Amino acid sequence: MEFDWKRFSTLDRVIAAGAVVAFIALFLPWYGASIGPFSATVSGWSAGFPAWAGGVLLTAAGVLVVLRRSGANFGGGRVGPSVLVTGIAALGLLLVVIRWLSFPTVHSAGFNYNVGARYGIFIALIAGIAEVAAAVMTLRASGEPMPWAQAQQPAAEPPPAEHQPAEPEPEPEAPAVPEE
């Protein structure tokens, strides 16, 4: 197994970079509260299961791309490597979105307090969106079969002649009238 950055397509690089950014975002503030001059924040690792699991899945998708381009073999599975990367990245992004939407938010201008999402989750969301978009484009370009797609069935043969409806007889043509 040998790492060569030149083997990576532009989309592979986007997936790998998105994975690095998503991993770094796990250490940034994802949720916080500020009351007057005091504030407290929580990183992605401490923001609940959907937060850290989503970040880890986004990171894992990038690691799979790096391993694949470095020569690791993922053969033998029911899904191709592009389907696997796309599925893992999409699930990771979904978990991050669920965590973002489930954060309680409170804002008040009168008393000067704010409780809600912080910049770390938005960085993870942007990285996840870029990663999933690149993974989907890679999947579409790879031509790998989808796990849920069934093999094309041969066209059904027409029913036997005894079950076919009778075709109407053509109407006789009127005799041609000679022109004078």
Side-chain angles (χ1 to χ4, degrees), residues 16-116:
V20 169
V21 171
F23 183 73
I24 291 170
L26 283 169
F27 295 96
L28 300 174
W30 280 39
Y31 187 74
S34 60
I35 301 172
F38 305 104
S39 67
T41 60
V42 173
S43 72
W45 293 109
S46 301
F49 173 77
W52 64 262
V56 167
L57 286 172
L58 288 171
T59 303
V63 169
L64 285 173
V65 168
V66 170
L67 289 174
R68 191 171 107 218
R69 293 295 183 225
S70 297
N73 186 7
F74 295 117
R78 299 188 82 162
V79 298
S82 294
V83 172
L84 183 65
V85 168
T86 303
I88 290 172
L91 180 60
L93 177 61
L94 177 66
L95 288 173
V96 172
V97 168
I98 288 171
R99 179 70 272 196
W100 173 50
L101 295 175
S102 65
F103 279 145
T105 59
V106 179
H107 304 283
S108 172
F111 187 64
N112 194 21
Y113 66 91
N114 180 2
V115 177

